Amino acid sequence: MSKPSPIHAHAIDDIRFIRETMERAGAFTAVPGWGGVLMGVSAAVTALVSGPPDNSIRWVSVWLVDAAVAAAIALVAMTRKARQSGALLSGKPALRFALAFAPPLAAGMVLTPVFAAMGLGARLPGCWLLLYGTAVVTGGAFSVRIVPSMGLCFMALGTCAFAAPAPTGHWFMAAGFGGLHVAFGVLIARRYGG
């Protein structure tokens, strides 16, 4: 008859398993990696189409169309990733992510027409990058570690866009919404799946 092993012999492994399970249950893991890459490609093309920022309705409209395209890509990619991983987009982690992500985007929706009406449309790249970065940081607090880091990069780029000459804004948009989405999208896809 074998002697039972003491309870502390497996306690460390059990605690590690419980902690990892709790972290996965509390984190929104459906942030789309490959979807982020597609969003980045779309933004890079949009930067070329839009040209330097000006105070025209055309310039703002081109970027708002790309924002709608990016949102559609993100929703489809998140839905696919959630389905593949068995995560729920209606669960508490997704709700917490959305509630933290939405307010900075809502602020951007309010500030966009204000900037345009005041003749500051050429400064929208800094505003959009900074507020999107803030959304990613705050939403990312309920996601995997790399997401808030991506948001901080967007915030830094937005700050630089405000400091740079206004005609270079489309290059900051390309670097942020294009380059950062592609780079972090690849990292997220490789490390966290899809």
Side-chain angles (χ1 to χ4, degrees), residues 36-50:
V37 171
L38 289 175
M39 291 163 60
V41 170
S42 172
V45 170
T46 301
L48 294 173
V49 170
S50 73

Side-chain angles (χ1 to χ4, degrees), residues 29 80-89:
T29 58
R80 287 185 67 191
K81 186 172 179 179
R83 191 175 299 133
Q84 289 171 350
S85 68
L88 294 175
L89 287 180

Side-chain angles (χ1 to χ4, degrees), residues 62-193:
V62 167
W63 279 103
L64 292 179
V65 167
D66 183 64
V69 168
I73 291 169
L75 287 173
V76 169
M78 278 191 290
T79 302
R80 287 185 67 191
K81 186 172 179 179
R83 191 175 299 133
Q84 289 171 350
S85 68
L88 294 175
L89 287 180
S90 60
K92 283 188 180 183
L95 179 62
R96 282 183 287 203
F97 180 89
L99 289 174
F101 190 81
L105 294 185
M109 290 168 51
V110 170
L111 289 174
T112 296
V114 171
F115 272 49
M118 297 186 75
L120 297 171
R123 288 300 179 184
L124 280 170
C127 177
W128 288 340
L129 288 162
L130 189 60
L131 288 171
Y132 181 75
T134 304
V136 173
V137 168
T138 57
F142 301 101
S143 188
V144 293
R145 289 183 186 182
I146 195 170
V147 175
S149 300
M150 178 176 74
L152 290 172
C153 291
F154 270 97
M155 291 177 73
L157 202 54
T159 302
C160 292
F162 273 127
T168 62
H170 64 306
W171 298 122
F172 283 94
M173 296 285 279
F177 293 112
L180 289 177
H181 271 142
V182 168
F184 279 94
V186 168
L187 289 172
I188 289 168
R190 288 189 177 164
R191 291 182 186 174
Y192 302 101

